[in-house]
Amino acid sequence: MNDKASLKKTLYFLGDELLNEIFDIGIVKEVEAKTELLKNGQYIKFIPIVINGLVKVITQFEEKELLLYYIQPAQSCIMSFSSGLKNEKSKIVAITEENSTVLLIPMEKISKWVIELPRINLLFYEQYELRYSELLLNFHGLLYHKLDTRLLDFLRRKARLTGKNHVRISHKEIAAELGTAREVVSRLIKKLENQHLLRQHNDTIEIIMPV
């Protein structure tokens, strides 16, 4: 089954008419890892649906970053949808974590479908519920978990999302996504390594998943 057929099967609840419109109008684009799909402060021209790969969404403030959520296959970006409908500038940055294939739908079509083909709202209602739950978990972690626990949870989640126990990420990138300093991350990674919870290699971190 090809990627488009798989995506159609996953998004069956949108109905054949809307799915046909999406694939007739949407632009399929192969995107390399570490590519910005959406920048902070730009107007929304396209809404992405990930076909395969992984996209991270972060917020930036005064040169600091914080990870909000990941967009996985058959998912989209609720914050882009919200800003696009209101014709507001983006408040987030979307970056591919790995080589990805995305379906780009023109915002003007989305705005039209909201009225004429209202099933499109089902996709974003689902995304809203998913992201709301993720943000609650993130806030819970910020409030109740120590940074070493958050760091380990972050790396384990990344391993699950990519399907790889060796995560290619720098201490600086981890610090940016967790909202802390690189020196703190380096110290905590060494601590977790001494606890045999992970291993550092030249350009990756190996996560030892619990049995």
Side-chain angles (χ1 to χ4, degrees):
M1 181 178 292
N2 62 39
D3 290 333
K4 277 191 176 183
S6 179
L7 184 60
K8 279 190 173 184
K9 185 175 181 180
T10 303
L11 300 179
Y12 70 92
F13 57 87
L14 296 179
D16 290 338
E17 182 183 4
L18 179 54
L19 283 172
N20 288 335
E21 286 269 355
I22 287 173
F23 283 98
D24 284 345
I25 292 168
I27 302 166
V28 177
K29 188 172 183 180
E30 303 290 337
V31 187
E32 292 185 355
K34 310 301 181 184
T35 300
E36 280 192 353
L37 294 177
L38 183 62
K39 297 181 180 181
N40 188 36
Q42 77 177 68
Y43 285 101
I44 312 296
K45 299 297 176 88
F46 296 92
I47 298 292
I49 297 179
V50 175
I51 296 178
N52 60 55
L54 189 66
V55 176
K56 71 177 178 182
V57 176
I58 61 174
T59 182
Q60 296 176 325
F61 181 71
E62 294 183 349
E63 298 184 356
K64 292 185 178 180
E65 298 178 356
L66 186 65
L67 175 68
L68 294 178
Y69 51 82
Y70 289 101
I71 308 174
Q72 300 177 64
Q75 295 180 0
S76 187
C77 181
I78 185 62
M79 295 191 73
S80 299
F81 176 71
S82 176
S83 294
L85 280 183
K86 292 183 283 187
N87 196 32
E88 295 179 344
K89 292 181 180 180
S90 171
K91 301 179 181 68
I92 55 92
V93 179
I95 307 170
T96 51
E97 277 283 277
E98 54 190 48
N99 293 342
S100 303
T101 306
V102 297
L103 180 67
L104 300 175
I105 306 172
M107 189 64 230
E108 60 187 34
K109 291 295 182 182
I110 296 281
S111 300
K112 184 178 178 182
W113 291 340
V114 165
I115 298 170
E116 297 180 0
L117 296 170
R119 279 198 178 200
I120 190 66
N121 293 300
L122 295 176
L123 174 62
F124 294 102
Y125 289 152
E126 183 180 84
Q127 300 302 304
Y128 176 83
E129 183 176 356
L130 175 64
R131 303 313 172 199
Y132 182 70
S133 298
E134 289 180 348
L135 288 173
L136 284 180
L137 285 174
N138 287 341
F139 285 131
H140 186 273
L142 284 168
L143 290 172
Y144 300 111
H145 292 167
K146 292 182 178 180
L147 188 55
D148 56 349
T149 300
R150 287 175 54 212
L151 172 57
L152 185 58
D153 287 345
F154 168 79
L155 291 171
R156 284 175 171 172
R157 182 184 179 201
K158 207 166 187 65
R160 287 192 295 268
L161 287 170
T162 60
K164 301 171 185 176
N165 275 13
H166 288 13
V167 175
R168 191 178 302 275
I169 189 170
S170 69
H171 292 191
K172 182 179 179 180
E173 288 174 311
I174 295 171
E177 296 192 18
L178 293 181
T180 187
R182 182 188 59 77
E183 295 78 9
V184 173
V185 168
S186 297
R187 175 172 54 81
L188 291 177
I189 284 179
K190 187 63 179 177
K191 173 185 174 182
L192 293 170
E193 189 173 32
N194 291 337
Q195 294 174 348
H196 307 291
L197 295 171
L198 52 80
R199 297 187 189 95
Q200 293 190 83
H201 300 282
N202 287 337
D203 58 353
T204 63
I205 299 173
E206 179 186 359
I207 292 81
I208 303 172
M209 301 295 281
V211 178

